[in-house]
mmCIF file with all atom_site columns, all heavy atoms in Angstrom:
data_model
loop_
_atom_site.group_PDB
_atom_site.id
_atom_site.type_symbol
_atom_site.label_atom_id
_atom_site.label_alt_id
_atom_site.label_comp_id
_atom_site.label_asym_id
_atom_site.label_entity_id
_atom_site.label_seq_id
_atom_site.pdbx_PDB_ins_code
_atom_site.Cartn_x
_atom_site.Cartn_y
_atom_site.Cartn_z
_atom_site.occupancy
_atom_site.B_iso_or_equiv
_atom_site.pdbx_formal_charge
_atom_site.auth_seq_id
_atom_site.auth_comp_id
_atom_site.auth_asym_id
_atom_site.auth_atom_id
_atom_site.pdbx_PDB_model_num
ATOM 1   N N   . ARG A 1 130 ? 6.456   14.103 -12.948 1.00 94.00 ? 166 ARG A N   1
ATOM 2   C CA  . ARG A 1 130 ? 5.567   15.194 -13.345 1.00 94.00 ? 166 ARG A CA  1
ATOM 3   C C   . ARG A 1 130 ? 4.468   15.423 -12.300 1.00 94.00 ? 166 ARG A C   1
ATOM 4   O O   . ARG A 1 130 ? 4.142   16.558 -11.961 1.00 94.00 ? 166 ARG A O   1
ATOM 5   C CB  . ARG A 1 130 ? 4.957   14.853 -14.710 1.00 94.00 ? 166 ARG A CB  1
ATOM 6   C CG  . ARG A 1 130 ? 4.289   16.007 -15.411 1.00 94.00 ? 166 ARG A CG  1
ATOM 7   C CD  . ARG A 1 130 ? 3.976   15.608 -16.849 1.00 94.00 ? 166 ARG A CD  1
ATOM 8   N NE  . ARG A 1 130 ? 3.085   16.561 -17.490 1.00 94.00 ? 166 ARG A NE  1
ATOM 9   C CZ  . ARG A 1 130 ? 3.480   17.699 -18.040 1.00 94.00 ? 166 ARG A CZ  1
ATOM 10  N NH1 . ARG A 1 130 ? 4.741   18.021 -18.043 1.00 94.00 ? 166 ARG A NH1 1
ATOM 11  N NH2 . ARG A 1 130 ? 2.605   18.514 -18.599 1.00 94.00 ? 166 ARG A NH2 1
ATOM 12  N N   . THR A 1 131 ? 3.898   14.330 -11.796 1.00 94.00 ? 167 THR A N   1
ATOM 13  C CA  . THR A 1 131 ? 2.849   14.462 -10.782 1.00 94.00 ? 167 THR A CA  1
ATOM 14  C C   . THR A 1 131 ? 3.403   15.092 -9.504  1.00 94.00 ? 167 THR A C   1
ATOM 15  O O   . THR A 1 131 ? 2.796   15.999 -8.921  1.00 94.00 ? 167 THR A O   1
ATOM 16  C CB  . THR A 1 131 ? 2.222   13.090 -10.473 1.00 94.00 ? 167 THR A CB  1
ATOM 17  O OG1 . THR A 1 131 ? 1.733   12.529 -11.690 1.00 94.00 ? 167 THR A OG1 1
ATOM 18  C CG2 . THR A 1 131 ? 1.076   13.213 -9.486  1.00 94.00 ? 167 THR A CG2 1
ATOM 19  N N   . ARG A 1 134 ? 4.233   18.760 -10.111 1.00 93.00 ? 170 ARG A N   1
ATOM 20  C CA  . ARG A 1 134 ? 3.038   19.586 -10.204 1.00 93.00 ? 170 ARG A CA  1
ATOM 21  C C   . ARG A 1 134 ? 2.432   19.834 -8.822  1.00 93.00 ? 170 ARG A C   1
ATOM 22  O O   . ARG A 1 134 ? 1.954   20.930 -8.546  1.00 93.00 ? 170 ARG A O   1
ATOM 23  C CB  . ARG A 1 134 ? 2.032   18.893 -11.117 1.00 93.00 ? 170 ARG A CB  1
ATOM 24  C CG  . ARG A 1 134 ? 0.999   19.802 -11.609 1.00 93.00 ? 170 ARG A CG  1
ATOM 25  C CD  . ARG A 1 134 ? 0.230   19.141 -12.697 1.00 93.00 ? 170 ARG A CD  1
ATOM 26  N NE  . ARG A 1 134 ? 0.540   19.648 -14.009 1.00 93.00 ? 170 ARG A NE  1
ATOM 27  C CZ  . ARG A 1 134 ? 0.406   18.937 -15.114 1.00 93.00 ? 170 ARG A CZ  1
ATOM 28  N NH1 . ARG A 1 134 ? 0.029   17.681 -15.054 1.00 93.00 ? 170 ARG A NH1 1
ATOM 29  N NH2 . ARG A 1 134 ? 0.637   19.468 -16.277 1.00 93.00 ? 170 ARG A NH2 1
ATOM 30  N N   . ARG A 1 141 ? 2.218   27.675 -5.110  1.00 86.00 ? 177 ARG A N   1
ATOM 31  C CA  . ARG A 1 141 ? 1.306   28.740 -5.525  1.00 86.00 ? 177 ARG A CA  1
ATOM 32  C C   . ARG A 1 141 ? 0.383   29.131 -4.383  1.00 86.00 ? 177 ARG A C   1
ATOM 33  O O   . ARG A 1 141 ? 0.137   30.312 -4.150  1.00 86.00 ? 177 ARG A O   1
ATOM 34  C CB  . ARG A 1 141 ? 0.493   28.252 -6.724  1.00 86.00 ? 177 ARG A CB  1
ATOM 35  C CG  . ARG A 1 141 ? -0.162  29.362 -7.472  1.00 86.00 ? 177 ARG A CG  1
ATOM 36  C CD  . ARG A 1 141 ? -0.730  28.861 -8.766  1.00 86.00 ? 177 ARG A CD  1
ATOM 37  N NE  . ARG A 1 141 ? 0.287   28.619 -9.779  1.00 86.00 ? 177 ARG A NE  1
ATOM 38  C CZ  . ARG A 1 141 ? 0.021   28.149 -10.994 1.00 86.00 ? 177 ARG A CZ  1
ATOM 39  N NH1 . ARG A 1 141 ? -1.210  27.859 -11.324 1.00 86.00 ? 177 ARG A NH1 1
ATOM 40  N NH2 . ARG A 1 141 ? 0.979   27.971 -11.868 1.00 86.00 ? 177 ARG A NH2 1
ATOM 41  N N   . LEU A 1 149 ? 6.991   24.060 -14.033 1.00 92.00 ? 185 LEU A N   1
ATOM 42  C CA  . LEU A 1 149 ? 7.541   22.723 -14.257 1.00 92.00 ? 185 LEU A CA  1
ATOM 43  C C   . LEU A 1 149 ? 8.906   22.778 -14.926 1.00 92.00 ? 185 LEU A C   1
ATOM 44  O O   . LEU A 1 149 ? 9.842   22.101 -14.502 1.00 92.00 ? 185 LEU A O   1
ATOM 45  C CB  . LEU A 1 149 ? 6.587   21.889 -15.126 1.00 92.00 ? 185 LEU A CB  1
ATOM 46  C CG  . LEU A 1 149 ? 5.294   21.409 -14.473 1.00 92.00 ? 185 LEU A CG  1
ATOM 47  C CD1 . LEU A 1 149 ? 4.484   20.578 -15.452 1.00 92.00 ? 185 LEU A CD1 1
ATOM 48  C CD2 . LEU A 1 149 ? 5.597   20.584 -13.225 1.00 92.00 ? 185 LEU A CD2 1
ATOM 49  N N   . SER A 1 198 ? -11.305 1.259  -8.775  1.00 91.00 ? 234 SER A N   1
ATOM 50  C CA  . SER A 1 198 ? -10.433 2.377  -9.099  1.00 91.00 ? 234 SER A CA  1
ATOM 51  C C   . SER A 1 198 ? -9.030  2.103  -8.573  1.00 91.00 ? 234 SER A C   1
ATOM 52  O O   . SER A 1 198 ? -8.874  1.558  -7.492  1.00 91.00 ? 234 SER A O   1
ATOM 53  C CB  . SER A 1 198 ? -10.942 3.647  -8.430  1.00 91.00 ? 234 SER A CB  1
ATOM 54  O OG  . SER A 1 198 ? -12.199 3.990  -8.942  1.00 91.00 ? 234 SER A OG  1
ATOM 55  N N   . ASP B 2 15  ? -12.151 7.761  -10.051 1.00 90.00 ? 42  ASP B N   1
ATOM 56  C CA  . ASP B 2 15  ? -10.923 7.069  -9.648  1.00 90.00 ? 42  ASP B CA  1
ATOM 57  C C   . ASP B 2 15  ? -10.130 7.882  -8.630  1.00 90.00 ? 42  ASP B C   1
ATOM 58  O O   . ASP B 2 15  ? -9.672  7.350  -7.624  1.00 90.00 ? 42  ASP B O   1
ATOM 59  C CB  . ASP B 2 15  ? -10.036 6.792  -10.874 1.00 90.00 ? 42  ASP B CB  1
ATOM 60  C CG  . ASP B 2 15  ? -10.606 5.668  -11.734 1.00 90.00 ? 42  ASP B CG  1
ATOM 61  O OD1 . ASP B 2 15  ? -11.556 5.005  -11.281 1.00 90.00 ? 42  ASP B OD1 1
ATOM 62  O OD2 . ASP B 2 15  ? -10.088 5.443  -12.846 1.00 90.00 ? 42  ASP B OD2 1
ATOM 63  N N   . THR B 2 50  ? -2.414  14.622 -14.137 1.00 92.00 ? 77  THR B N   1
ATOM 64  C CA  . THR B 2 50  ? -1.640  13.612 -14.869 1.00 92.00 ? 77  THR B CA  1
ATOM 65  C C   . THR B 2 50  ? -2.571  12.593 -15.526 1.00 92.00 ? 77  THR B C   1
ATOM 66  O O   . THR B 2 50  ? -2.377  12.201 -16.677 1.00 92.00 ? 77  THR B O   1
ATOM 67  C CB  . THR B 2 50  ? -0.655  12.888 -13.927 1.00 92.00 ? 77  THR B CB  1
ATOM 68  O OG1 . THR B 2 50  ? 0.138   13.865 -13.261 1.00 92.00 ? 77  THR B OG1 1
ATOM 69  C CG2 . THR B 2 50  ? 0.270   11.964 -14.697 1.00 92.00 ? 77  THR B CG2 1
ATOM 70  N N   . GLU B 2 53  ? -4.160  14.115 -18.558 1.00 94.00 ? 80  GLU B N   1
ATOM 71  C CA  . GLU B 2 53  ? -3.220  14.144 -19.685 1.00 94.00 ? 80  GLU B CA  1
ATOM 72  C C   . GLU B 2 53  ? -3.145  12.778 -20.355 1.00 94.00 ? 80  GLU B C   1
ATOM 73  O O   . GLU B 2 53  ? -3.197  12.672 -21.577 1.00 94.00 ? 80  GLU B O   1
ATOM 74  C CB  . GLU B 2 53  ? -1.826  14.573 -19.201 1.00 94.00 ? 80  GLU B CB  1
ATOM 75  C CG  . GLU B 2 53  ? -1.780  16.039 -18.795 1.00 94.00 ? 80  GLU B CG  1
ATOM 76  C CD  . GLU B 2 53  ? -0.377  16.494 -18.408 1.00 94.00 ? 80  GLU B CD  1
ATOM 77  O OE1 . GLU B 2 53  ? 0.368   15.688 -17.822 1.00 94.00 ? 80  GLU B OE1 1
ATOM 78  O OE2 . GLU B 2 53  ? -0.038  17.657 -18.704 1.00 94.00 ? 80  GLU B OE2 1
ATOM 79  N N   . VAL B 2 60  ? -1.459  19.671 -20.086 1.00 92.00 ? 87  VAL B N   1
ATOM 80  C CA  . VAL B 2 60  ? -1.913  20.794 -19.276 1.00 92.00 ? 87  VAL B CA  1
ATOM 81  C C   . VAL B 2 60  ? -0.710  21.704 -19.005 1.00 92.00 ? 87  VAL B C   1
ATOM 82  O O   . VAL B 2 60  ? 0.281   21.276 -18.436 1.00 92.00 ? 87  VAL B O   1
ATOM 83  C CB  . VAL B 2 60  ? -2.508  20.295 -17.937 1.00 92.00 ? 87  VAL B CB  1
ATOM 84  C CG1 . VAL B 2 60  ? -2.945  21.471 -17.079 1.00 92.00 ? 87  VAL B CG1 1
ATOM 85  C CG2 . VAL B 2 60  ? -3.662  19.338 -18.190 1.00 92.00 ? 87  VAL B CG2 1
ATOM 86  N N   . ASP B 2 62  ? 1.353   24.903 -17.342 1.00 82.00 ? 89  ASP B N   1
ATOM 87  C CA  . ASP B 2 62  ? 1.391   25.553 -16.020 1.00 82.00 ? 89  ASP B CA  1
ATOM 88  C C   . ASP B 2 62  ? 0.457   26.757 -15.936 1.00 82.00 ? 89  ASP B C   1
ATOM 89  O O   . ASP B 2 62  ? -0.260  26.948 -14.963 1.00 82.00 ? 89  ASP B O   1
ATOM 90  C CB  . ASP B 2 62  ? 2.802   26.095 -15.724 1.00 82.00 ? 89  ASP B CB  1
ATOM 91  C CG  . ASP B 2 62  ? 3.755   24.982 -15.363 1.00 82.00 ? 89  ASP B CG  1
ATOM 92  O OD1 . ASP B 2 62  ? 3.289   23.870 -15.093 1.00 82.00 ? 89  ASP B OD1 1
ATOM 93  O OD2 . ASP B 2 62  ? 4.971   25.248 -15.365 1.00 82.00 ? 89  ASP B OD2 1
ATOM 94  N N   . LEU B 2 65  ? -3.267  26.573 -15.204 1.00 82.00 ? 92  LEU B N   1
ATOM 95  C CA  . LEU B 2 65  ? -3.692  26.118 -13.881 1.00 82.00 ? 92  LEU B CA  1
ATOM 96  C C   . LEU B 2 65  ? -4.037  27.290 -12.996 1.00 82.00 ? 92  LEU B C   1
ATOM 97  O O   . LEU B 2 65  ? -3.172  27.857 -12.362 1.00 82.00 ? 92  LEU B O   1
ATOM 98  C CB  . LEU B 2 65  ? -2.524  25.389 -13.221 1.00 82.00 ? 92  LEU B CB  1
ATOM 99  C CG  . LEU B 2 65  ? -2.317  23.933 -13.534 1.00 82.00 ? 92  LEU B CG  1
ATOM 100 C CD1 . LEU B 2 65  ? -1.152  23.418 -12.732 1.00 82.00 ? 92  LEU B CD1 1
ATOM 101 C CD2 . LEU B 2 65  ? -3.567  23.166 -13.196 1.00 82.00 ? 92  LEU B CD2 1
#
Side-chain angles (χ1 to χ4, degrees):
Chain A
R166 194 169 168 82
T167 303
R170 198 168 254 153
R177 197 170 285 179
L185 288 181
S234 296
Chain B
D42 287 350
T77 306
E80 290 184 325
V87 178
D89 285 346
L92 275 182

